Amino acid sequence: EIVLTQSPGTLSLSPGERATLSCRASQSISSSYLAWYQQKPGQAPRLLIYGVSSRATGIPDRFSGSGSGADFTLVISRLEPEDFAVYYCQHYGSSRAFGQGTKVEIK
Amino acid sequence: EVQLVESGGGLVQPGRSLRLSCTASGFTFGDSAMSWFRQAPGKGLEWVGFIRIKAYGATTEYAASVKDRFMISRDDSKSIAYLQMNSLKTEDTAVYYCTKYSSGLAWSWGQGTLVTVSS
């Protein structure tokens, strides 16, 4: 079973700053089955990134995903007010496991 | 526009059953796999299970935590997916989300319905 560990738990940043979120898997993820979801308070999650680096429809290009093997990163190049939320990584291969989430909060 | 509306949540005693419904619109329901996820209060996301389209036998897969207790089904004529939950436990308390599912990804989500398992 693959376990995903996200860091940091909370990221305190100001609008306009760059956010870097990490997702580390307990073993190498084959076939790039790594996705990122965004969840705002009181709302359902939304798919942001799939296949490590492909943006879902309508996702702005300030969101980018990268990584390989067991280490993955989500970068938000310049935080907009609407980007403050919780972000989850997920292995959508056999395990369907989620990381515990990183909260991006306003500093 | 894809719309998914869950219903059927509520308060239920441990050991009892509950059936959730997910009414879909805005896409060809019969051509889409459907999945359920859940989120315990203040916690992260958990995949519950999914159902394939009829062309693939409408077969299902489940998380180990709900296997043999939960069952997903679909009625393509009504564009509804169901989550039948039996032998409920307090740890099943969560918001349950229905999603349009493809290639292992949840592309569109409903607003969720809260299930509380408590005596």
Side-chain angles (χ1 to χ4, degrees):
Chain A
E1 179 188 345
I2 292 178
V3 176
L4 298 179
T5 302
Q6 293 186 240
S7 60
T10 302
L11 202 50
S12 298
L13 296 167
S14 301
E17 290 194 294
R18 178 185 180 92
T20 302
L21 289 67
S22 174
C23 176
R24 177 163 291 178
S26 57
Q27 58 187 277
S28 180
I29 291 178
S30 60
S31 305
S32 302
Y33 288 147
L34 195 284
W36 291 89
Y37 292 85
Q38 175 195 65
Q39 187 176 33
K40 299 178 184 179
Q43 295 187 20
R46 175 174 72 147
L47 177 65
L48 290 179
I49 301 285
Y50 63 95
V52 177
S53 59
S54 296
R55 280 185 297 276
T57 304
I59 301 304
D61 59 8
R62 63 180 181 273
F63 291 92
S64 63
S66 64
S68 64
D71 287 301
F72 302 91
T73 302
L74 175 69
V75 171
I76 311 171
S77 58
R78 286 180 56 85
L79 282 164
E80 297 288 341
E82 62 268 26
D83 299 336
F84 292 91
V86 179
Y87 293 84
Y88 295 95
C89 61
Q90 188 208 13
H91 171 235
Y92 58 97
S94 56
S95 76
R96 284 108 175 185
F98 282 91
Q100 80 281 16
T102 290
K103 181 180 181 180
V104 179
E105 65 176 22
I106 299 176
K107 187 174 182 181
Chain B
E1 179 193 0
V2 172
Q3 286 201 331
L4 300 167
V5 179
E6 300 93 339
S7 60
L11 175 64
V12 61
Q13 293 179 326
R16 305 297 290 264
S17 299
L18 198 65
R19 188 178 79 162
L20 306 183
S21 300
C22 170
T23 302
S25 61
F27 64 101
T28 304
F29 183 79
D31 289 346
S32 180
M34 300 296 293
S35 185
W36 290 88
F37 290 75
R38 68 183 180 181
Q39 186 170 36
K43 302 298 184 182
L45 298 168
E46 180 184 15
W47 173 79
V48 172
F50 85 102
I51 185 167
R52 296 179 177 85
I53 61 174
K54 279 195 174 176
Y56 288 96
T59 52
T60 53
E61 293 187 24
Y62 300 96
S65 58
V66 305
K67 194 170 166 33
D68 299 327
R69 297 189 300 123
F70 288 13
M71 185 176 70
I72 299 173
S73 60
R74 62 190 300 152
D75 185 336
D76 290 352
S77 68
K78 296 180 180 177
S79 296
I80 299 177
Y82 299 99
L83 177 64
Q84 176 68 41
M85 303 184 292
N86 301 324
S87 303
L88 281 160
K89 306 174 181 180
T90 55
E91 53 263 41
D92 294 320
T93 294
V95 174
Y96 284 75
Y97 295 101
C98 159
T99 81
K100 186 175 181 290
Y101 198 66
S102 176
S103 302
L105 293 160
W107 294 89
S108 299
W109 296 64
Q111 84 290 349
T113 187
L114 176 63
V115 173
T116 302
V117 184
S118 175
S119 55

